[in-house]
């Protein structure tokens, strides 16, 4: 059985899945690119390979060895307790991933958005019900900053109870077994250029600030975890503003063990578009954040040298890869 009842580390993973679409056309969405008849030739065989690749990736990430903060013992390894997913199309995809893939014995449950994104892209939170119990959840809609704004992904907000022990003292354990507020983000892309698209990502950041303020009005020392694909680097205005809002970017200096210096690689340069932000009460208890650059998640980059994420598509050209983003892994002792 894949579920571990005695958990030594609480593990959180963030992953952009790179276009995890099913093979069915949604008449309300522009998903024609990922159909068997499209130029991508997105067949059931390719779909199920992708679904099981994600399952394989999450199983391997849960088994990464990490030294615990207290006694120096290695983590025995278990599946991630929380998984923040970007670029998942719908409920059917998440049902296949949790109930019909390599993860089917893990008993994962999930919550997800139903966004107005034109392509039908959404975000989701997968959770181990033996480690996390949701109390409430809803989608946060992004208000358009101007008339050019294309509807984008909602932010998923989930409030729940952490059931495992996290923290280094009984007082910390008691506090962390109260409530954890999780926000899953997939901000608008840089299409049209960084400067042109910047106001759209700032609109997402402002929505996050409003949510943080609402939470802190009720719980000043609330434990807040924000993660996802922000389509921005740490030096961007949106992420700087979020840091100024008393949120710590624990993924800022995250690197991998096999050559990755970011979660994304563009024209031979590493950069991180994926991030974790924690409130002070939670950041003080985090142990480590790394990029999960497992060797088989990457391939050789002949043009620029080094390695790059082993993705599923280069334009319309298919290859049996995993994603154009590498995952982030965050541990709490």
């Amino acid at each position: 059985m894949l579920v571990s009842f005695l958990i030594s580390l609480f593990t959180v993973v963030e992953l952009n899945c790179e276009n995890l679409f099913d093979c069915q056309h949604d008449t309300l969405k522009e998903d024609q690119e990922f159909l068997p008849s499209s130029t991508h030739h997105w067949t059931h065989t390719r779909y199920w390979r992708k679904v099981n690749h994600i399952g394989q990736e999450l199983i391997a990430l849960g088994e990464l060895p990490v030294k615990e903060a207290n006694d120096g013992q290695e983590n025995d390894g278990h599946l991630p307790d929380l998984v923040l997913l970007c670029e998942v199309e719908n409920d059917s995809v998440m049902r296949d991933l949790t109930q019909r893939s390599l993860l089917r014995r893990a008993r994962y449950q999930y919550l997800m958005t139903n966004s107005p994104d034109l392509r039908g892209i959404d975000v989701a939170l997968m959770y181990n019900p033996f480690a996390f119990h949701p109390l409430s959840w809803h989608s946060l809609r992004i208000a358009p900053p101007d008339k050019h704004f294309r509807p984008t992904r909602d932010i998923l907000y989930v409030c729940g109870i952490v059931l495992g022990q996290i923290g280094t003292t009984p007082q910390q354990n008691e506090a962390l077994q109260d409530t954890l507020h999780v926000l899953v983000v997939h901000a608008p892309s840089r299409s049209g250029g960084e400067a042109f698209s910047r106001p759209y990502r700032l609109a997402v950041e402002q929505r996050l600030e409003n949510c943080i303020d609402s939470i802190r009005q009720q719980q000043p020392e609330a434990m807040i975890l924000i993660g996802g694909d922000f389509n921005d680097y740490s030096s961007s205005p949106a992420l700087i503003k979020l840091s100024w809002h008393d949120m710590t970017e624990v993924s800022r200096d995250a690197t991998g063990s096999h050559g990755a210096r970011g979660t994304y690689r563009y024209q031979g340069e590493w950069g991180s578009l994926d991030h974790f932000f924690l409130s002070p009460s939670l950041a003080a208890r985090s142990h480590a954040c790394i990029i999960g650059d497992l060797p088989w998640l990457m391939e050789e980059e002949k043009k620029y040298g080094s390695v790059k994420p082993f993705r599923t598509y280069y334009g319309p050209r298919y290859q049996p890869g995993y994603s154009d983003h590498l995952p982030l892994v965050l541990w709490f002792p």
Side-chain angles (χ1 to χ4, degrees):
M1 187 173 181
L2 293 175
V3 176
S4 172
F5 291 90
L6 297 176
I7 298 174
S8 56
L9 289 176
F10 191 86
T11 308
V12 184
V13 169
E14 182 277 335
L15 174 64
N16 182 315
C17 299
E18 188 199 354
N19 294 317
L20 183 55
F21 282 84
D22 62 19
C23 298
Q24 305 297 318
H25 176 45
D26 184 341
T27 58
L28 301 177
K29 299 295 182 181
E30 298 175 4
D31 61 355
Q32 294 89 344
E33 189 177 18
F34 286 91
L35 296 175
S37 59
S38 72
T39 56
H40 279 68
H41 303 294
W42 188 239
T43 63
H44 289 280
T45 299
R46 292 179 175 182
Y47 167 70
W48 278 107
R49 181 182 290 126
K50 176 92 170 182
V51 169
N52 281 312
H53 271 177
I54 294 171
Q56 176 191 10
E57 185 172 350
L58 292 176
I59 291 170
L61 292 171
E63 294 173 348
L64 286 175
V66 169
K67 296 292 185 181
E68 291 196 28
N70 297 328
D71 54 17
Q73 298 299 310
E74 283 199 3
N75 177 35
D76 292 332
H78 67 280
L79 283 172
D81 300 290
L82 296 179
V83 182
L84 287 65
L85 295 176
C86 300
E87 290 201 17
V88 291
E89 185 186 15
N90 52 34
D91 186 73
S92 296
V93 166
M94 290 304 302
R95 187 169 61 249
D96 287 342
L97 181 61
T98 55
Q99 299 180 21
R100 302 178 67 190
S101 76
L102 294 174
L103 293 173
R104 60 187 177 275
R105 294 177 58 202
R107 301 186 184 178
Y108 273 122
Q109 297 180 21
Y110 66 89
L111 300 164
M112 70 181 307
T113 56
N114 184 16
S115 302
D117 179 81
L118 298 182
R119 297 176 64 225
I121 289 291
D122 280 296
V123 299
L125 178 70
M126 250 172 39
Y127 62 93
N128 174 357
F130 300 101
F132 182 76
H133 175 67
L135 298 173
S136 62
W137 57 91
H138 56 269
S139 294
L140 305 178
R141 191 62 45 93
I142 310 302
D146 58 48
K147 64 180 181 181
H148 302 292
F149 183 76
R150 287 165 51 97
T152 191
R153 280 76 57 175
D154 291 349
I155 298 168
L156 176 63
Y157 166 75
V158 181
C159 174
I161 301 289
V162 176
L163 302 177
Q165 286 192 343
I166 304 178
T168 57
T169 68
Q171 292 78 18
Q172 289 176 344
N173 285 335
E174 182 179 355
L176 277 161
Q177 286 174 357
D178 188 3
T179 54
L180 175 65
H181 304 267
V182 182
L183 294 119
V184 188
V185 179
H186 186 189
S189 74
R190 296 186 164 209
S191 178
E194 190 280 329
F196 171 79
S197 57
R198 184 186 305 164
Y200 309 145
R201 291 185 296 281
L202 285 170
V204 172
E205 191 278 333
Q206 186 60 58
R207 193 71 173 94
L208 287 171
E209 282 195 21
N210 295 342
C211 183
I212 292 167
D213 289 342
S214 296
I215 294 169
R216 286 175 173 165
Q217 284 182 359
Q218 302 297 322
Q219 292 179 270
E221 300 300 320
M223 298 179 300
I224 304 171
L225 184 155
I226 304 175
D229 177 2
F230 288 77
N231 269 307
D232 256 333
Y233 302 107
S234 297
S235 58
S236 70
L239 269 61
I240 290 173
K241 283 192 65 189
L242 192 56
S243 296
W244 287 347
H245 211 65
D246 205 17
M247 296 294 295
T248 301
E249 185 191 349
V250 294
S251 57
R252 185 182 184 94
D253 298 319
T255 59
S257 301
H258 299 93
R261 295 296 176 263
T263 61
Y264 192 76
R265 190 166 168 92
Y266 179 69
Q267 294 184 349
E269 297 292 332
W270 284 108
S272 285
L273 299 175
D274 306 84
H275 308 271
F276 276 126
F277 285 85
L278 305 182
S279 60
S281 58
L282 196 55
R285 298 174 177 94
S286 63
H287 171 41
C289 182
I290 67 165
I291 296 170
D293 62 340
L294 300 164
W296 38 270
L297 294 180
M298 299 187 294
E299 63 176 341
E300 181 185 0
E301 185 167 39
K302 297 179 181 179
K303 182 176 181 180
Y304 298 102
S306 188
V307 291
K308 61 182 178 180
F310 185 24
R311 60 190 299 171
T312 308
Y313 277 96
Y314 285 101
R317 180 167 63 88
Y318 173 77
Q319 63 176 20
Y322 292 79
S323 174
D324 56 349
H325 288 241
L326 293 172
L328 285 173
V329 186
L330 174 63
W331 287 284
F332 296 91

